[in-house]
Amino acid sequence: MFESLFADGRQPVIGMVHLPALPGAPKYDGDRETILETAERDARRLAAGGVDAIMVENFGDAPFYPDDVPKHVVASMTRATRAVVEVTDVPVGVNVLRNDADAALSVAAAAGGDFVRVNIHTGARVTDQGVIDGSAHETMRLRERLDADVAVLADHDVKHSAPIAARGFSAESVADGVERGLADAVVVSGSGTGHETERSDLKHAVDRRDANDLDTPILVGSGVTADTVGDILELADGVVVGTALKEDGDVGNPVSEARVRELVEAARP
């Protein structure tokens, strides 16, 4: 179902459902039902506003586990993702922060999701959780074992992190993530949540993709607004949007259906 998002030259807008702190997280307020109500409300507003897909993320769980969340997080994510699947008819994805690809795949497979985002799929990055290694070799084998029709969106030069080696953004890691990591799509983002993605970084990723004769979609994963989405889609194949779709453009606020419509319309002039 993920591949259909790009059919006939479509450039999908993927909206974010940022979950509140889940049980076990320091900011959890003790109300499980509110988590589900929040997820369903934001999902309905995203779908009504015209997004092509929705991604569910445990955004409120800071400080994040590096790459192996406890079982109760997997359970909560599965329940919330299933709630989103049940109230919408668009493809649904999962991102388990900070980088638990196994959990994301398992949640998506169990809840009826269509794709996952993996922040560090290949290589290694220095993050606020320490050094995190990509585990594409495990992720892609797990997908086969689960027999899951779930696409993997792999970040390149992911936000809130820095490379260990001096190769930097000019590295062949775009091709590595696809040719060696078998990612189904690449996500390019800015330095942090809501931060603009540098056009030069996006162009580099597209150039590396094209130079390696790949047809893998490249999406922009941060800093997209109604004012910038048109220019971004001159290069990118799609966008993942969170902050700009919230009331007053504040990432901590509920999704605004009006802001969703505005951005979706700007993406399809």
Side-chain angles (χ1 to χ4, degrees):
M1 193 170 183
F2 177 77
E3 293 81 2
S4 67
L5 291 175
F6 302 92
D8 301 321
R10 292 173 61 195
Q11 296 172 293
V13 174
I14 302 174
M16 294 299 304
V17 167
H18 288 138
L19 297 176
L22 302 177
K27 294 182 179 180
Y28 174 58
D29 65 5
D31 189 347
R32 286 179 169 82
E33 286 305 311
T34 295
I35 295 171
L36 298 180
E37 291 168 1
T38 296
E40 292 170 354
R41 176 203 65 205
D42 284 354
R44 286 191 178 99
R45 292 180 180 181
L46 288 168
V51 299
D52 301 286
I54 294 171
M55 189 173 337
V56 182
E57 181 179 82
N58 57 326
F59 185 78
D61 275 359
F64 303 110
Y65 291 93
D67 53 13
D68 186 15
V69 301
K71 294 179 179 63
H72 60 78
V73 175
V74 178
S76 294
M77 284 293 293
T78 302
R79 181 66 186 91
T81 301
R82 185 60 194 171
V84 170
V85 169
E86 289 176 346
V87 299
T88 63
D89 58 2
V90 300
V92 175
V94 180
N95 188 18
V96 178
L97 300 171
R98 171 65 156 119
N99 199 63
D100 196 335
D102 285 2
L105 266 173
S106 300
V107 170
D114 302 283
F115 61 95
V116 298
R117 182 175 180 177
V118 182
N119 295 155
I120 302 163
H121 186 56
T122 57
R125 307 282 296 185
V126 179
T127 74
D128 51 307
Q129 295 82 31
V131 176
I132 298 179
D133 295 324
S135 57
H137 58 292
E138 295 178 350
T139 301
M140 306 315 286
R141 284 173 171 81
L142 176 62
R143 184 169 71 172
E144 290 301 309
R145 292 198 303 273
L146 293 175
D147 191 24
D149 185 16
V150 175
V152 173
L153 283 60
D155 274 85
H156 172 67
D157 203 46
V158 68
K159 58 190 175 182
H160 300 292
S161 74
I164 291 178
R167 295 172 69 195
F169 204 95
S170 63
E172 292 291 334
S173 54
V174 172
D176 285 348
V178 176
E179 293 184 317
R180 296 166 67 85
L182 304 184
D184 300 290
V186 173
V187 181
V188 181
S189 61
S191 60
T193 300
H195 293 195
E196 184 176 356
T197 301
E198 294 292 336
R199 189 175 180 87
S200 59
D201 291 345
L202 173 58
K203 186 176 186 303
H204 165 80
V206 172
D207 288 347
R208 296 316 306 158
R209 187 263 315 269
D210 295 345
N212 285 274
D213 294 322
L214 303 171
D215 59 2
T216 308
I218 291 180
L219 300 95
V220 167
S222 73
V224 180
T225 68
D227 292 332
T228 64
V229 67
D231 288 340
I232 288 170
L233 290 176
E234 290 179 359
L235 282 175
D237 300 298
V239 293
V240 181
V241 195
T243 303
L245 304 183
K246 303 297 186 69
E247 294 176 359
D248 301 321
D250 185 331
V251 71
N253 285 343
V255 167
S256 163
E257 184 178 330
R259 292 178 71 97
V260 177
R261 290 187 184 279
E262 180 185 15
L263 189 141
V264 169
E265 289 173 1
R268 304 184 183 114

